[in-house]
Amino acid sequence: MRYGDLRRANLSGATFEQANMQWVRLKNATLSQTNFSDAYRPRMPYRLNLY
């Protein structure tokens, strides 16, 4: 997933366990019940929908 562009994607119920989420764009993505357990994102702020 590194450098992925998931802006405005519907990720409801998706699983990203142990995924490399570095530089992934999630702005305005629907993240209800999405699993990010053990996902890698350096300097991950509390909110995931960044730029």
Side-chain angles (χ1 to χ4, degrees), residues 4-5 8-9 13 16-17 19 21 28 32-33 36-37 40 42 45 47 49-50:
D5 187 352
R8 299 183 185 185
F16 293 99
E17 289 183 69
M21 301 299 288
N28 296 321
S32 66
Q33 299 181 358
F36 288 102
S37 62
Y40 173 73
R47 289 184 310 146
N49 62 344
L50 301 172

Side-chain angles (χ1 to χ4, degrees), residues 41-50:
R41 174 137 183 166
R43 293 175 251 135
M44 184 188 297
Y46 182 73
R47 289 184 310 146
L48 290 174
N49 62 344
L50 301 172

Side-chain angles (χ1 to χ4, degrees), residues 3-21:
Y3 296 103
D5 187 352
L6 299 173
R7 291 177 288 184
R8 299 183 185 185
N10 182 353
L11 303 172
S12 298
T15 299
F16 293 99
E17 289 183 69
Q18 300 179 355
N20 183 346
M21 301 299 288

Side-chain angles (χ1 to χ4, degrees), residues 19-32:
N20 183 346
M21 301 299 288
Q22 185 176 20
W23 299 108
V24 173
R25 294 178 176 203
L26 293 168
K27 186 172 183 173
N28 296 321
T30 303
L31 301 173
S32 66

